[in-house]
Amino acid sequence: MVSDLIFRRKSIRSYTDEDISDDIIKRILAAAMQAPSALNTQSWEFIVVKNKDMILNLSKMSKYASCAKGANTLIVVLANLDKLKKTRAWFPQDLSAATENILLEATNQGVGSVWLGLYPDGDRISYVKDCLNLPLHVLPFSIVSLGYPIDLKNIENRYDESKIHMEKY
């Protein structure tokens, strides 16, 4: 059930050495591509990184990305700016939806994941562009670190009535 999946999703930063199959990666990417996008632009593209040296390099993107060094796979979520003639202002929403779908489908497949933010941090974007030798029209947006979790985290209820306003603030 989708609702259960949403509540089971957790940021997982410690992984076993077990490989994630190509079939599972394909399912995760298919889920990403089911995300909504402004004017159905679908400007997303993805780089699947399994090379341990490249994973290590990308884990140095920021101090918050160091958990990626233990990942089995990274998915780099990219915006193809050439596809954004009419919807450039909306691509962060589109790619956020795609990234969230990656996290949810990873959870559905029993794979742990964590969203490593890049955009809009210019230093992180430049670092990843250099590591992956990306063309000018391709902008890295996020990295999702994937692996089978070492431990399962407890589900916590984050519902907070004080954050809900009816009709006005």
Side-chain angles (χ1 to χ4, degrees), residues 67-112:
C67 62
K69 66 185 168 201
N72 174 272
T73 303
L74 302 179
I75 296 177
V76 184
V77 180
L78 309 163
N80 183 330
L81 301 177
D82 286 347
K83 295 182 179 178
L84 291 170
K85 304 291 188 238
K86 295 180 183 176
T87 61
R88 191 159 187 152
W90 304 109
F91 87 86
Q93 293 179 53
D94 299 350
L95 274 64
S96 292
T99 302
E100 181 68 9
N101 280 7
I102 290 170
L103 301 173
L104 291 173
E105 186 57 25
T107 300
N108 189 47
Q109 295 295 327
V111 174

Side-chain angles (χ1 to χ4, degrees), residues 7-166:
F7 289 99
R8 284 190 297 119
R9 192 224 53 85
K10 294 293 195 186
S11 293
I12 305 295
R13 293 175 176 86
S14 299
Y15 313 104
T16 70
D17 292 334
E18 185 180 350
D19 285 339
I20 302 169
S21 73
D22 291 340
D23 184 54
I24 288 176
I25 296 298
K26 187 175 179 178
R27 287 175 186 258
I28 290 169
L29 291 169
M33 293 181 211
Q34 285 300 120
S37 66
L39 297 176
N40 201 27
T41 305
Q42 300 179 36
S43 66
W44 45 65
E45 294 186 15
F46 308 91
I47 297 177
V48 176
V49 179
K50 291 189 171 220
N51 176 282
K52 290 297 182 188
D53 291 334
M54 183 56 75
I55 289 173
L56 183 60
N57 285 342
L58 290 169
S59 77
K60 296 174 184 175
M61 176 232 354
S62 79
K63 66 181 179 179
Y64 304 106
S66 63
C67 62
K69 66 185 168 201
N72 174 272
T73 303
L74 302 179
I75 296 177
V76 184
V77 180
L78 309 163
N80 183 330
L81 301 177
D82 286 347
K83 295 182 179 178
L84 291 170
K85 304 291 188 238
K86 295 180 183 176
T87 61
R88 191 159 187 152
W90 304 109
F91 87 86
Q93 293 179 53
D94 299 350
L95 274 64
S96 292
T99 302
E100 181 68 9
N101 280 7
I102 290 170
L103 301 173
L104 291 173
E105 186 57 25
T107 300
N108 189 47
Q109 295 295 327
V111 174
S113 63
V114 66
W115 181 332
L116 305 172
L118 294 172
Y119 184 86
D121 186 296
D123 290 338
R124 293 179 189 187
I125 290 167
S126 293
Y127 183 84
V128 172
K129 279 183 82 79
D130 289 346
C131 280
L132 296 171
N133 196 28
L134 298 176
L136 289 175
H137 70 282
V138 175
L139 178 72
F141 178 80
S142 64
I143 297 175
V144 180
S145 177
L146 299 169
Y148 288 101
I150 288 178
D151 332 306
L152 295 177
K153 293 185 174 185
N154 291 330
I155 295 171
E156 67 182 71
N157 184 346
R158 294 181 179 178
Y159 183 80
D160 182 349
E161 198 76 37
S162 72
K163 296 183 180 193
I164 300 169
H165 310 280
M166 301 304 270

